[in-house]
Amino acid sequence: MTLFSGPVFEMARQQFHIIADHLDIPLDERDRLLLPKRAIAVSCPIHMDDGRTAVFQGFRVQHHLTLGPAKGGTRFAANVDLGEIAALAVWMSWKCALAELPYGGAKGGVAVDPASLSKRELEALSRRYMQEMIPFVGPRVDIMAPDMGTNEQTMAWFMDTYSMYQGVTVPEIVTGKPVGTGGTLGRREATGHGVAFLAFRALERLQRDPTTATAIIQGFGNVGAHAALGLAARGVRIIGISDHTVALHDNAGFDVQQAVDHVARHGVLKGFADQAEVSAREALTLPCDVLAPCAVERVIDAEIAQALQCRIVAEGANGPTTPEADEVLAERGDVFVVPDILCNAGGVIVSYFEWVQDLQQYFWSRDEVMDRLERALERSWIKVVERAEKDEVATRTAAMAIGVERVRAAKMARGLFP
Ligand code: NAD
C-alpha cells in the first residue's frame, strides 16, 4: 500500500523495476530507492476577482535527499495529482544523478488551469502556494523551478514570497527566475537548446545531414518553442508544430520565429496557419527525421509507437513514451530514442548553474553558461550511448541505469540511519 497511485506513477514504478532487474537490485532494496522520501499536500485559498473564495489543491514531493537538496519544477495544470507529481520527482532523481548534479529529485504542482485565472489571481495563488511550502523547502532542502504552466514570473513571485518571510532576499530558493532578480542568462532557452543539441547528436550518429532533415515538435511552450528554434538554427526544417489548441503540418516548413511571435501575441498556436491543420495523431505519426514530444506524459503509447515514421524520438517532455511503447520500439529497432532524463536535462543543468551563481553572488556570461551546458550534455550523451552499446540495452535503460546506480551507491556508502 502506498500513497502514490495513478497511471503516471505506475509508469515510473514499471520503468524502475525494469532497471532494477537489469542491475540485479535485490527486492528488499527497491522500495528504499523508489518510494519518495516526503510528500506534502496543501489547500491554497485565494480571493477571486468576482469576490468568491476559491481553494486549489497543491502538492510537493521530495524523492530523495541523499546527494543534496531536492530539485524540481512546479506544474500548474488542471489534472495535477499526487501520483503524477511523485512520478515526476522520481524521474528528476535519475535525471540529476545522470548529469552528476548534487541533487535529489523533487516536483510540485497545483491543480489549476492557469489560463482560467486573471494575472492577479495567478499571483495570489503562486504566493499562497509558496507560503504553504515554506516549512517544507529551502535553498539547502528543496529548490523549485518552472514546469508546465509556470514561468519566470511565477518564480519571481515564489522568490519574493519566501524572501519576505525570511526578511532577506533569498534568490537561491528558486531557479528559472528573471535575470534581473538573480536568474541566470541562458535558463529560459536551456531545456529546448539541450533538446536541439542532442537531436543534432542523434542525427550525426545516424549520419543524417541536418540541412536536409525535418522535425515535428509536439508542444509549443518553453521547451517545444526553443527546441524548434534550436533545430531550425542548425538548418533542420520544422514541418510540424502543435499545442493543446491545434496541430499544424506543412512539408515546406514553418517560420518558427513567426510562430513564436504568434504565441506571444495570442497565447496559443491556433490561428497561426489554419490551412495546415492536421489531427493530433497525425502530428506524431507523419514522416520526419526528428519527432520531439515536448508537452505531456504518455503521448506515445504502443499503438502510436507502431505507427511512428520518424528516425529519432527526442524526448523534451518528461515521460512521453510508455513502457509498452518502449517494447514496441525495441522490437522495431529502427527508431533512435534520446530518453527524457538525458534529452531535457538542459533545464536542470542550467538551474544548477543558477543556484551556484546565486550562492556565490557571482554571475557568468551567457557564452560561459551555454558552453558549460553543452559540455555537460555531451558527457551524459557519451555515457548513455556507450552504456547502451556495452549492455546491449535501449538508451532509456542505459540512462536510467546510470542514474539509479549513482543514487544507490550514495545510499550504500552513507548507510542507513540510525
Ligand atoms: P509550457 O507550459 O511552457 O508548454 C507546454 C506546451 O504543451 C504548451 O504549448 C501546451 O499548449 C502544450 N500542450 C499541452 N498539452 C498538449 C497536448 N495534449 N498536445 C499537444 N500540446 C500540448 O511547458 P514546458 O515548460 O515547455 O514543459 C513541457 C514539457 O517539458 C513538460 O513535460 C515538462 O515537464 C518538460 N520539461 C520542462 C522543463 C523546463 O525547463 N521548462 C525542463 C525539463 C522538462
Side-chain angles (χ1 to χ4, degrees), residues 75 147-149 187 191 220-223 243-244 294-295 316-318:
R75 176 171 290 196
D147 190 74
M148 268 180 59
R187 175 61 184 89
T191 311
F220 209 69
N222 176 283
V223 179
D243 70 0
H244 69 285
C294 299
N318 287 305

Side-chain angles (χ1 to χ4, degrees), residues 165-181:
Y165 275 84
Q166 302 302 317
V168 292
T169 300
V170 190
E172 61 271 25
I173 184 62
V174 296
T175 60
K177 303 175 288 295
V179 173
T181 60

Side-chain angles (χ1 to χ4, degrees), residues 132-376:
E132 297 289 348
M133 288 294 147
I134 287 177
F136 198 61
V137 300
R140 298 271 178 192
V141 180
D142 182 358
I143 305 136
M144 294 185 186
D147 190 74
M148 268 180 59
T150 58
N151 55 27
E152 290 175 18
Q153 178 60 76
T154 326
M155 295 308 112
W157 290 328
F158 282 179
M159 187 274 261
D160 183 69
T161 303
Y162 188 85
S163 298
M164 286 298 149
Y165 275 84
Q166 302 302 317
V168 292
T169 300
V170 190
E172 61 271 25
I173 184 62
V174 296
T175 60
K177 303 175 288 295
V179 173
T181 60
T184 183
L185 296 165
R187 175 61 184 89
R188 185 182 298 169
E189 61 271 38
T191 311
H193 182 89
V195 172
F197 177 83
L198 292 170
F200 193 70
R201 279 281 173 279
L203 283 169
E204 276 180 344
R205 189 179 161 80
L206 302 186
Q207 297 181 334
R208 184 78 184 82
D209 175 7
T211 61
T212 58
T214 56
I216 295 180
I217 317 286
Q218 184 200 43
F220 209 69
N222 176 283
V223 179
H226 284 106
L229 286 167
L231 283 165
R234 289 173 160 84
V236 176
R237 191 156 31 103
I238 309 300
I239 59 170
I241 48 179
S242 65
D243 70 0
H244 69 285
T245 63
V246 75
L248 305 171
H249 183 272
D250 183 350
N251 265 327
F254 293 103
D255 182 322
V256 180
Q257 189 55 55
Q258 277 183 11
V260 169
D261 294 344
H262 177 90
V263 172
R265 272 197 306 278
H266 304 282
V268 291
L269 264 180
K270 186 99 185 146
F272 173 60
D274 287 342
Q275 74 289 352
E277 190 163 341
V278 292
S279 70
R281 188 179 188 282
E282 284 172 309
L284 292 170
T285 55
L286 284 167
C288 63
D289 292 290
V290 178
L291 173 69
C294 299
V296 290
E297 301 93 51
R298 303 169 69 244
V299 291
I300 303 179
D301 58 15
E303 190 265 324
I304 297 278
Q306 200 67 61
L308 290 181
Q309 298 190 68
C310 59
R311 297 171 185 220
I312 295 162
V313 174
E315 296 181 338
N318 287 305
T321 308
T322 66
E324 295 75 23
D326 277 336
E327 277 177 32
V328 172
L329 294 177
E331 246 167 64
R332 283 183 52 162
D334 59 347
V335 179
F336 185 91
V337 178
V338 188
D340 51 3
I341 64 166
L342 168 65
C343 195
N344 68 34
V348 71
I349 291 170
V350 175
S351 275
Y352 166 63
F353 296 161
E354 181 174 334
W355 182 68
V356 168
Q357 291 172 75
D358 285 339
L359 288 172
Q360 298 185 344
Q361 287 294 296
Y362 180 73
F363 292 89
W364 311 347
S365 69
R366 185 178 184 279
D367 282 353
E368 208 169 345
V369 171
M370 295 324 249
D371 179 54
R372 284 177 195 249
L373 167 64
E374 291 190 358
R375 280 192 281 137

